[in-house]
Amino acid sequence: MSIEVDAGLYDYAQRPPRLPKATKPENDRLEIDLETRIEMFEMQQVLRQFEDRVYDLFMQNLVKGTSHLSLGMEAIATGVAKAMRPDDYTFATYRGHAHTVARGAPLGPVLAELLGRDTGILGGKGGSMHLTSVEHGMMGSYAIIGAHLCVANGAAWSAQLRGTDQVAVAFFGDGTTNIGAFHEALNLASIWNLPVVFVCENNLYMEYTPIDLVTAASNPAAGRAPAYDLEQIVIDGNDADEVYVTARVAIEKARRGEGPSLIEAVTYRHGGHSRADPGKYRPAQEVEAWMAHDPLPTYHQRLLRLGVNESRLSDIVHQVTDRVEEATAFAKAGERPGEHVLMTDVWADGGSSWRN
Amino acid sequence: MSIEVDAGLYDYAQRPPRLPKATKPENDRLEIDLETRIEMFEMQQVLRQFEDRVYDLFMQNLVKGTSHLSLGMEAIATGVAKAMRPDDYTFATYRGHAHTVARGAPLGPVLAELLGRDTGILGGKGGSMHLTSVEHGMMGSYAIIGAHLCVANGAAWSAQLRGTDQVAVAFFGDGTTNIGAFHEALNLASIWNLPVVFVCENNLYMEYTPIDLVTAASNPAAGRAPAYDLEQIVIDGNDADEVYVTARVAIEKARRGEGPSLIEAVTYRHGGHSRADPGKYRPAQEVEAWMAHDPLPTYHQRLLRLGVNESRLSDIVHQVTDRVEEATAFAKAGERPGEHVLMTDVWADGGSSWRN
Amino acid sequence: MAELSYREAVARGIAQEMRRDPTLVMLGEDIAGAGGVFKTTVGLLEEFGPTRIRDTPISEQAILGAAMGAAMTGVPVIAEIMFSDFLAVCFDMVANEMAKTRYMTGGQFTVPVVIRTANGGGVRFGAQHSQSVENWCMMIPGLKVVAPSTPEDVVGLMAAAVRDPDPVVFFEHKSLMATKSEVPDTEIVGKLGEARIIRAGTDCTIAALAFMVPRALEAAQRLAAEGVSAEVIDLRSLVPLDTQAILTSVAKTGWMFTVEENPRLCGWGAEVASIVAEEAFWDLDGPVTRITTPHIPLPAAENLEDLAIPSVDRIYETIKKSLG
Amino acid sequence: MAELSYREAVARGIAQEMRRDPTLVMLGEDIAGAGGVFKTTVGLLEEFGPTRIRDTPISEQAILGAAMGAAMTGVPVIAEIMFSDFLAVCFDMVANEMAKTRYMTGGQFTVPVVIRTANGGGVRFGAQHSQSVENWCMMIPGLKVVAPSTPEDVVGLMAAAVRDPDPVVFFEHKSLMATKSEVPDTEIVGKLGEARIIRAGTDCTIAALAFMVPRALEAAQRLAAEGVSAEVIDLRSLVPLDTQAILTSVAKTGWMFTVEENPRLCGWGAEVASIVAEEAFWDLDGPVTRITTPHIPLPAAENLEDLAIPSVDRIYETIKKSLG
Ligand SMILES: Cc1ncc(C[n+]2csc(CCOP(=O)(O)OP(=O)(O)O)c2C)c(N)n1
Ligand SMILES: Cc1ncc(C[n+]2csc(CCOP(=O)(O)OP(=O)(O)O)c2C)c(N)n1
Ligand SMILES: [Mg+2]
Ligand SMILES: [Mg+2]
């Protein structure tokens, strides 16, 4: 065995850190009315406090199985959801709590689902990785990499066929750009001119492996866009305003029948990939720098610069805390699912019989 | 159902023809010694006459099942194989007769395989779509789109690990660029810097569907190259010299450890996709133009311009005819495979038992 | 009544349902402009137009993803996967997505998708284009599985599959494409989960599917000449499975035989045999016998492929030997 | 002897074989730098280096293609597919390529690949990360299938799988990862196709696999208290299948039970039941009974998942009831 690859490469924590770009000052002047911004401030607070709570409950062994948090990535779910119409479609991954909540799903039932309660948004049958709320346009969280990009095409195709002007939005990670389904989905969306927006949440890592080590393009999503006749769009995923404005443009384009877009939003996980992963494979300096590029304080500062007074913002923060407390109480109060539901809903008739 | 796609689009024979580019006169002056060119003339003759014979035998119902011919595409198999070293690896598709023969597999056993005889190169067990001759570096014909691109990576990886400087070459069609495995294979080849050359035989159609209707990039292969940090290479697939020189460069690059290449060789099927398909979905003018851009007469003319005399070339043509006749006799003389082979070679121990 | 080939029946069944439901669409490779590689969709583009009959790239995952996403949002879809062997390149969509999404979401989605695919051997296409893979789908909770053996059933079960709100995998057998029979001109609507007794008998029960049905029937006729009265069941549908028809027949005959084109291990016949051995054990007069393709990939050479797939002779002899 | 967890045994088995064969390599997602998502490859990068232990992109088809191509050309490979559910995204490589290439080419290729994958439920991961899919592979001719239930078998069968020249799918059970037992410090080399009688008995035979083995054993112990002597067989390997062990046991006990974690239809137990019903029919004193997960996707909620997967109680009660 001859060729040696630098073993150092594999002590990922020792690699040169990939640092965030500074928040763009000019984004203060993006055309977004103040109330919208305040709503995005609130939503980011909700997502932050909700995910913090999920982490605590996981550590208390109340959330079973696994959970993948969006801590540090709140600006993307917030900005995109804000740019969507209530009847638009969201498709997310196992890292889908934030996208589910951002579309308006109630905190209590979402949290109850993570706790495996009958009051859960899926009755306890799906769990953390499959959050779905059709009534809120949240068309599912998909736990196997790639598939949902193809499914999102289908929802967009259906909107096209039914002549509605709904748009489908699919969120996925940087690591997902290397699986076959990504390629098939983007090609089909492009040739069929589907009203779909693909949003890559590039948090620089797949599970524990740095994305640049396994990806031929330096931008995992944008670097592939020309292969599908799409524009290359890379944005600061930690600035809700930049995300919102970019999403608004892409969604309206799709709504006008002008086809799909691929947006790469660069961001970072505050915590590990899932469960109790401490994320030790990341350079300390990198983590530090991104912690300092936290979307929430940045946004808070922006709102102060735009003249919102501190008390209004802190009121919001406290109201959110109360909502998360209520949700927690609601979730904990839920019962375990009744045994009868085990055998329901395999089929549309509500049952599961495979024989006559 | 609202959106209407132009139905005319679907009468593929009525679409604007996609015409060939003229043969480049300067290719007469490519640095290739004359004997090499004469060998390539001969090989193209072999492939042409062999495939013509396969077609006849299929029509006589002696070739069972299916067959996919390379008529009109001979320059690619010829030029690439000529640039390979005996210990290099070839991976082909169901359209693999030409690639198998071009690597030096004997005509008789190849033809016998198509006739399902025990003298077949696979003993009759594989048939037309799975031609393989490991002793000639022909590592298989794969009949499910995409997979073999990933397998070719493996052979290249193995060469890299074993420290040989072997190179793997994978042939595939334009339609294959839209399947997931293509994406995964090219990304891995690029990041691992594998000694593999991907050769897209772009004959403008998948089975019966024009490639441009289903592909987001105007060049199905080259249009995707940048997504894998690869150079965009598009060549005249009907000029053996251009193919040979391009392949030589790519193969030597791989041999030097400088990584993979993706070559798009534009060509055309003289006949249908498979079996008795008359190819009626193609514009008459298009077929005509490509028939006139036939790699064989073009090459014949070039050799005359380069001073080879006609008699030498016609001698070769006749010798080839004799070889194909011999091969036909050999194939027809073969017996049906013995019944005992049905249960052999599922496992390396030669058997097929699934129980103790 | 008109004579129709199995191949024509596919297009007829699809057309019947597309006329009934203007929202039904179909997609697949080479199905529109070319009428399908097996010519099973000839004429559909002309009648229903390119919006409803749509050619796709070679992207099976994208095809089934599009079908699923459209179905989940109110547009029923027929998706063609050209050869059933290719279910392997999109198996995640089949086994992990379509089949599970309703259950996982507590019933929030309904997925009215029919996956049509050419299945089975006998056409000398070799190991990668000849497989019988009904069990690949039967083993997945959340999928319904149909495999008709006659032109009339092709039409009727296509209608039943399209009208069923759940994902149905519809296997069209390559070796039956050219077979013809009389089919009523009126609308035909079959029922999933209903086997058909195609020959009544008292001495043994033979369960068969698709291409194996005519062979089982012929073997039964030869057995009759020897005084053995075999009951032949065309299962038609594997999920739902008509266990009543099977158990009722075995209760009467006492002997159970399955004729399976799939390679032996974990074929549908194993499931049927296990059901009979569990629920009809006391009715049995002897061993439950499975007649299958050996557990090998299919060879390309004519004589070898014929040797591999259960033949009338093999069915006849196996049963004769068992019944002594 | 040292106490080893099932999880540690995986790394131990791989290390044993990598020391023996310097050409053996391994690839997969997050296996090198991170030691694997299930921590089953901890320490291997440090000992064998990044050339032999290699992280990949999320590209399962590329992973198995690389493994197959390398194996065909003289480099044996262990490939990790993180969760067995993901075999669906690379099923073409598994079912149509690796499994068939030797047969199709008249024996020109040998494919020494081991596909390691985390299988099974009990960890509340929901329907897409909890499946028991041994039958997905058992049904494919050309694949060998192993599923150890103890740390010692993990090491021994890993060695046997690596040394086997054919493609072997090696199922590591998520719910057994933390289980520990004493394992000899010496080299351990098992054998494919050899079941183990883990409890001798005379009244009935219980065949189980992986996570179901300890449950079957506990049920047998409870039955013993009631005077029922159950023989428990840990199949360990599905292909090759130790039919001798099964048939010998049934000949003695007259009663056959299978305990399967897979959803019912076409599970490995169906195959075993059909073999028994065909070859040991005259030895049987009563119905062949399958104890399986119902034919549903697995739910995420703790109590529902526990209800779905065969429990000691269910095994115990089913057998007690049958034996009356
Ligand atoms: C087909 C498939 N392969 C592997 C996995 C295991 N897995 C789950 S998340 C993950 C990393 C995904 O990385 P990325 O796409 O960047 O998303 P992120 O988790 O960073 O948001 C992997 C490999 C999977 N779920 N599906
Ligand atoms: C996964 C898969 N899908 C579909 C097919 C059926 N099929 C065989 S050849 C072919 C067209 C391939 O077109 P291209 O890649 O351009 O190669 P060409 O036949 O033109 O040489 C198709 C769709 C297949 N073999 N495998
Ligand atoms: Mg990521
Ligand atoms: Mg082509």
Side-chain angles (χ1 to χ4, degrees):
Chain A
M1 312 299 249
S2 62
I3 58 128
E4 266 305 325
V5 178
D6 171 10
L9 266 183
Y10 283 74
D11 184 352
Y12 300 142
Q14 300 308 319
R15 300 180 71 235
R18 286 156 304 160
L19 306 176
K21 292 210 177 70
T23 305
K24 303 186 184 74
E26 64 269 28
N27 283 354
D28 283 10
R29 295 186 303 278
L30 287 171
E31 269 194 27
I32 306 169
D33 62 61
L34 197 56
E35 281 318 300
T36 303
R37 278 184 154 133
I38 287 167
E39 285 163 22
M40 290 201 282
F41 173 87
E42 178 174 7
M43 180 54 74
Q44 292 181 85
Q45 276 298 325
V46 170
L47 301 181
R48 173 64 53 92
Q49 293 191 42
F50 181 84
E51 293 285 57
D52 278 334
R53 177 57 50 89
V54 172
Y55 186 78
D56 298 342
L57 294 171
F58 185 86
M59 288 322 217
Q60 292 164 39
N61 196 28
L62 279 167
V63 172
K64 307 290 179 174
T66 186
S67 77
H68 303 75
L69 307 179
S70 292
L71 289 170
M73 302 167 59
E74 297 88 350
I76 300 172
T78 299
V80 176
K82 177 58 71 183
M84 293 174 75
R85 212 170 63 180
D87 65 342
D88 288 336
Y89 299 122
T90 292
F91 290 83
T93 70
Y94 49 86
R95 195 178 303 284
H97 307 168
H99 298 297
T100 308
V101 169
R103 288 305 307 277
L107 300 186
V110 172
L111 199 52
E113 185 61 32
L114 307 191
L115 270 59
R117 307 303 167 99
D118 64 349
T119 49
I121 199 158
L122 312 171
K125 288 169 98 166
S128 164
M129 295 202 285
H130 300 298
L131 297 178
T132 303
S133 182
V134 172
E135 65 175 298
H136 298 95
M138 172 54 188
M139 305 303 281
S141 303
Y142 299 76
I144 298 183
I145 297 290
H148 73 297
L149 304 177
C150 298
V151 181
N153 275 345
W157 181 38
S158 145
Q160 199 182 55
L161 288 167
R162 287 179 287 111
T164 69
D165 55 3
Q166 292 163 286
V167 173
V169 176
F171 298 91
F172 60 99
D174 44 284
T176 300
T177 62
N178 291 325
I179 200 159
F182 168 85
H183 180 63
E184 296 190 14
L186 273 98
N187 184 64
L188 193 79
S190 179
I191 59 168
W192 285 13
N193 198 45
L194 296 175
V196 57
V197 176
F198 297 100
V199 180
C200 177
E201 302 183 276
N202 178 4
N203 59 17
L204 313 186
Y205 289 82
M206 35 191 272
E207 285 204 18
Y208 313 135
T209 303
I211 193 62
D212 56 305
L213 272 187
V214 294
T215 310
S218 51
N219 279 102
R224 272 70 180 265
Y228 313 108
D229 196 22
L230 299 175
E231 193 188 335
Q232 296 189 293
I233 304 172
V234 181
I235 62 171
D236 180 351
N238 283 13
D239 185 331
D241 287 344
E242 188 168 335
V243 171
Y244 169 68
V245 169
T246 310
R248 195 171 54 184
V249 169
I251 290 168
E252 290 320 316
K253 173 175 179 243
R255 220 184 284 296
R256 287 193 308 271
E258 294 167 22
S261 300
L262 174 58
I263 298 169
E264 179 173 326
V266 183
T267 183
Y268 203 75
R269 285 190 247 116
H270 280 185
H273 168 70
S274 66
R275 317 179 76 196
D277 167 28
K280 289 258 166 283
Y281 40 84
R282 307 186 300 181
Q285 189 195 346
E286 181 180 282
V287 176
E288 226 168 83
W290 280 96
M291 284 301 200
H293 189 58
D294 184 333
L296 270 64
T298 321
Y299 207 71
H300 191 133
Q301 291 311 316
R302 174 172 296 153
L303 291 192
L304 295 179
R305 282 196 301 276
L306 294 175
V308 183
N309 58 45
E310 177 58 39
S311 65
R312 179 164 181 194
L313 297 179
S314 56
D315 287 352
I316 290 173
V317 173
H318 295 118
Q319 286 151 16
V320 168
T321 308
D322 297 342
R323 286 175 56 195
V324 171
E325 283 305 336
E326 272 168 46
T328 308
F330 174 90
K332 286 180 168 173
E335 299 292 326
R336 314 173 123 214
E339 298 199 341
H340 67 281
V341 306
L342 181 71
M343 303 303 289
T344 61
D345 280 322
V346 170
W347 307 127
D349 68 10
S352 58
S353 174
W354 51 268
R355 63 194 292 177
N356 66 356
Chain B
M1 312 300 251
S2 61
I3 59 126
E4 265 305 324
V5 178
D6 170 11
L9 264 185
Y10 283 75
D11 184 352
Y12 299 142
Q14 300 309 317
R15 299 180 71 235
R18 284 156 305 160
L19 306 176
K21 292 210 177 70
T23 306
K24 304 187 184 72
E26 63 270 26
N27 283 354
D28 283 12
R29 294 186 302 279
L30 287 170
E31 266 190 29
I32 307 169
D33 62 61
L34 198 55
E35 282 318 301
T36 303
R37 277 182 155 136
I38 287 167
E39 286 162 22
M40 290 201 282
F41 173 86
E42 178 174 7
M43 180 54 73
Q44 292 181 84
Q45 276 297 326
V46 170
L47 301 181
R48 174 64 53 91
Q49 294 192 40
F50 181 84
E51 293 285 58
D52 278 335
R53 178 56 49 92
V54 172
Y55 186 77
D56 297 343
L57 295 171
F58 186 87
M59 288 322 216
Q60 293 164 40
N61 196 27
L62 280 166
V63 172
K64 308 289 179 175
T66 185
S67 78
H68 303 75
L69 308 177
S70 291
L71 289 169
M73 301 166 60
E74 297 88 350
I76 300 172
T78 298
V80 176
K82 176 57 73 183
M84 293 173 77
R85 211 169 66 180
D87 64 342
D88 288 336
Y89 298 121
T90 293
F91 290 83
T93 70
Y94 50 86
R95 196 180 301 285
H97 307 167
H99 298 297
T100 307
V101 169
R103 287 305 308 276
L107 300 185
V110 172
L111 199 52
E113 184 62 32
L114 306 191
L115 270 59
R117 306 303 166 96
D118 65 348
T119 49
I121 199 159
L122 313 172
K125 289 169 98 165
S128 164
M129 294 202 285
H130 300 298
L131 297 178
T132 303
S133 181
V134 172
E135 63 170 311
H136 298 94
M138 172 54 188
M139 306 302 282
S141 303
Y142 299 76
I144 298 183
I145 298 291
H148 73 297
L149 305 177
C150 297
V151 181
N153 275 346
W157 181 39
S158 146
Q160 200 182 55
L161 288 167
R162 286 178 288 113
T164 69
D165 56 2
Q166 291 163 286
V167 173
V169 177
F171 298 91
F172 60 99
D174 45 284
T176 300
T177 62
N178 292 325
I179 200 158
F182 167 85
H183 180 64
E184 295 190 15
L186 273 99
N187 184 63
L188 193 80
S190 179
I191 60 169
W192 285 12
N193 199 43
L194 296 174
V196 57
V197 177
F198 297 99
V199 180
C200 177
E201 304 183 273
N202 179 3
N203 59 15
L204 313 187
Y205 290 82
M206 36 191 273
E207 285 203 17
Y208 314 134
T209 304
I211 193 62
D212 56 305
L213 272 188
V214 293
T215 310
S218 52
N219 279 102
R224 272 69 179 265
Y228 312 109
D229 196 23
L230 299 174
E231 193 187 334
Q232 296 190 294
I233 304 173
V234 181
I235 62 172
D236 181 351
N238 283 12
D239 185 331
D241 288 345
E242 187 168 336
V243 172
Y244 169 68
V245 169
T246 311
R248 198 171 51 185
V249 170
I251 290 168
E252 292 320 316
K253 174 177 178 239
R255 221 183 282 297
R256 287 192 308 271
E258 294 167 20
S261 300
L262 175 58
I263 298 169
E264 179 171 327
V266 183
T267 183
Y268 204 75
R269 283 190 249 116
H270 279 186
H273 168 72
S274 67
R275 317 179 78 198
D277 166 29
K280 290 262 166 279
Y281 40 84
R282 307 186 301 180
Q285 191 196 343
E286 180 180 284
V287 176
E288 227 168 80
W290 280 95
M291 283 302 200
H293 189 58
D294 185 334
L296 270 66
T298 321
Y299 206 71
H300 190 133
Q301 291 310 317
R302 174 173 295 154
L303 290 190
L304 295 179
R305 282 194 303 275
L306 294 175
V308 182
N309 57 44
E310 177 60 37
S311 65
R312 180 163 182 196
L313 298 178
S314 56
D315 287 352
I316 290 173
V317 173
H318 295 117
Q319 286 151 15
V320 169
T321 308
D322 297 342
R323 287 174 58 194
V324 171
E325 284 303 340
E326 273 168 43
T328 309
F330 174 89
K332 286 179 170 171
E335 300 291 328
R336 312 173 125 214
E339 299 201 340
H340 66 282
V341 307
L342 180 70
M343 303 302 289
T344 61
D345 279 325
V346 170
W347 305 129
D349 68 10
S352 58
S353 174
W354 51 269
R355 62 194 293 176
N356 67 357
Chain C
M1 289 295 248
E3 191 169 67
L4 211 63
S5 71
Y6 187 100
R7 164 180 286 115
E8 294 160 338
V10 173
R12 155 96 178 262
I14 296 167
Q16 171 185 298
E17 293 308 298
M18 288 203 141
R19 289 184 200 117
R20 180 189 57 81
D21 180 353
T23 69
L24 179 61
V25 297
M26 179 163 74
L27 79 171
E29 295 160 16
D30 306 300
I31 62 166
V37 164
F38 293 96
K39 299 280 167 267
T40 44
T41 55
V42 169
L44 297 176
L45 172 67
E46 293 65 15
E47 177 171 359
F48 302 104
T51 301
R52 295 181 66 190
I53 308 290
R54 194 139 197 201
D55 279 334
T56 68
I58 305 171
S59 307
E60 281 77 7
Q61 296 184 82
I63 290 168
L64 294 191
M68 175 176 166
M72 282 162 53
T73 54
V75 176
V77 182
I78 299 174
E80 175 175 307
I81 297 299
M82 197 185 287
F83 285 73
S84 62
D85 313 71
F86 310 159
L87 288 173
V89 300
C90 49
F91 202 57
D92 179 53
M93 300 303 316
V94 177
N96 293 333
E97 309 300 338
M98 283 189 196
K100 294 177 168 57
T101 189
R102 180 178 184 82
Y103 186 84
M104 291 193 303
T105 59
Q108 292 189 55
F109 293 119
T110 305
V111 187
V113 169
V114 176
I115 300 175
R116 294 177 41 240
T117 187
N119 192 49
V123 289
R124 323 322 181 186
F125 282 177
Q128 292 186 332
H129 284 66
S130 305
Q131 296 174 87
S132 288
V133 303
E134 312 88 25
N135 57 335
W136 295 16
C137 298
M138 184 179 187
M139 69 182 180
I140 304 296
L143 297 179
K144 293 176 180 175
V145 181
V146 191
S149 70
T150 68
E152 181 163 357
D153 278 348
V154 166
V155 180
L157 291 174
M158 182 71 72
V162 168
R163 297 177 193 200
D164 190 278
D166 298 311
V168 179
V169 185
F170 190 93
F171 289 102
E172 299 163 9
H173 202 292
K174 295 181 211 87
S175 285
L176 294 173
M177 290 292 176
T179 58
K180 290 183 151 87
S181 66
E182 291 290 321
V183 177
D185 307 322
T186 52
E187 178 182 76
I188 305 173
V189 184
K191 189 168 176 312
L192 303 184
E194 220 169 56
R196 190 171 70 243
I197 311 289
I198 58 169
R199 186 182 194 287
T202 52
D203 300 337
C204 68
T205 301
I206 310 176
L209 192 74
F211 186 36
M212 295 298 98
V213 170
R215 293 187 175 192
L217 185 61
E218 191 180 335
Q221 280 149 357
R222 281 169 56 179
L223 286 161
E226 315 255 333
V228 178
S229 162
E231 180 147 296
V232 181
I233 304 179
D234 178 353
L235 290 176
R236 303 198 285 188
S237 161
L238 293 176
V239 182
L241 182 66
D242 191 346
T243 51
Q244 269 179 34
I246 298 165
L247 295 169
T248 310
S249 179
V250 179
K252 181 174 62 176
T253 66
W255 288 86
M256 180 78 216
F257 297 87
T258 64
V259 184
E260 303 161 62
E261 187 178 338
N262 50 249
R264 159 126 198 170
L265 298 185
C266 299
W268 61 261
E271 185 59 44
V272 168
S274 74
I275 292 166
V276 169
E278 184 162 352
E279 303 178 28
F281 180 78
W282 303 111
D283 295 325
L284 288 169
D285 298 326
V288 178
T289 305
R290 296 176 56 200
I291 301 160
T292 78
T293 293
H295 202 61
I296 56 171
L298 273 181
E302 239 181 337
N303 66 316
L304 294 179
E305 189 181 28
D306 289 340
L307 195 63
I309 298 174
S311 62
V312 173
D313 287 345
R314 180 139 64 98
I315 301 165
Y316 164 81
E317 266 135 32
T318 307
I319 296 175
K320 188 139 176 287
K321 191 149 147 296
S322 304
L323 297 183
Chain D
M1 292 294 250
E3 190 168 68
L4 210 64
S5 71
Y6 187 100
R7 164 181 287 116
E8 293 161 340
V10 173
R12 155 97 178 261
I14 295 167
Q16 171 185 298
E17 293 309 297
M18 288 203 142
R19 289 183 200 118
R20 180 187 57 82
D21 180 353
T23 68
L24 179 61
V25 296
M26 180 163 75
L27 79 170
E29 295 160 16
D30 307 299
I31 63 165
V37 164
F38 294 97
K39 298 281 166 269
T40 45
T41 55
V42 170
L44 297 175
L45 172 67
E46 292 68 14
E47 177 171 359
F48 302 104
T51 301
R52 294 181 65 190
I53 308 290
R54 194 140 197 201
D55 278 335
T56 69
I58 305 172
S59 306
E60 280 78 8
Q61 295 185 83
I63 289 169
L64 294 190
M68 175 176 167
M72 283 162 55
T73 53
V75 175
V77 182
I78 300 174
E80 175 175 307
I81 297 299
M82 196 185 288
F83 285 72
S84 62
D85 312 72
F86 311 160
L87 288 173
V89 300
C90 50
F91 201 57
D92 179 52
M93 300 304 316
V94 177
N96 292 333
E97 309 300 338
M98 285 190 194
K100 293 177 169 57
T101 189
R102 180 178 184 82
Y103 186 85
M104 291 194 304
T105 59
Q108 292 188 57
F109 293 118
T110 305
V111 186
V113 169
V114 176
I115 301 175
R116 292 177 43 240
T117 187
N119 192 49
V123 290
R124 326 318 183 188
F125 282 177
Q128 292 187 332
H129 282 68
S130 305
Q131 296 173 86
S132 287
V133 303
E134 311 89 24
N135 57 335
W136 294 17
C137 297
M138 185 180 187
M139 70 182 179
I140 304 295
L143 297 178
K144 294 177 180 174
V145 181
V146 191
S149 70
T150 69
E152 181 164 356
D153 277 349
V154 166
V155 180
L157 291 174
M158 180 71 72
V162 167
R163 297 176 193 200
D164 191 278
D166 299 310
V168 179
V169 185
F170 189 94
F171 289 101
E172 299 163 9
H173 203 292
K174 294 180 213 88
S175 285
L176 294 173
M177 290 291 177
T179 59
K180 289 183 151 76
S181 66
E182 290 291 321
V183 178
D185 307 322
T186 54
E187 179 183 73
I188 304 174
V189 183
K191 190 168 177 310
L192 304 184
E194 219 169 55
R196 189 170 72 243
I197 311 289
I198 57 169
R199 184 180 196 289
T202 52
D203 301 337
C204 68
T205 301
I206 310 176
L209 191 75
F211 186 35
M212 295 298 98
V213 171
R215 293 186 175 191
L217 185 60
E218 191 181 335
Q221 281 149 356
R222 279 168 56 180
L223 286 161
E226 315 254 335
V228 177
S229 162
E231 180 147 295
V232 181
I233 303 178
D234 178 352
L235 291 176
R236 303 198 286 190
S237 161
L238 293 176
V239 182
L241 183 66
D242 191 346
T243 52
Q244 268 177 33
I246 298 165
L247 296 170
T248 309
S249 179
V250 179
K252 183 174 61 176
T253 66
W255 288 85
M256 180 76 215
F257 299 88
T258 64
V259 184
E260 303 160 61
E261 188 178 338
N262 51 249
R264 158 124 200 174
L265 298 184
C266 298
W268 62 260
E271 186 59 44
V272 167
S274 74
I275 292 165
V276 168
E278 182 162 353
E279 303 178 29
F281 180 77
W282 303 111
D283 294 326
L284 289 169
D285 298 326
V288 178
T289 305
R290 296 176 56 201
I291 301 159
T292 79
T293 292
H295 202 61
I296 56 170
L298 274 181
E302 239 180 335
N303 66 315
L304 294 179
E305 188 181 29
D306 289 339
L307 195 63
I309 298 174
S311 62
V312 173
D313 287 344
R314 180 139 65 98
I315 301 165
Y316 165 80
E317 268 136 31
T318 308
I319 296 174
K320 188 140 177 282
K321 192 149 147 296
S322 304
L323 297 182

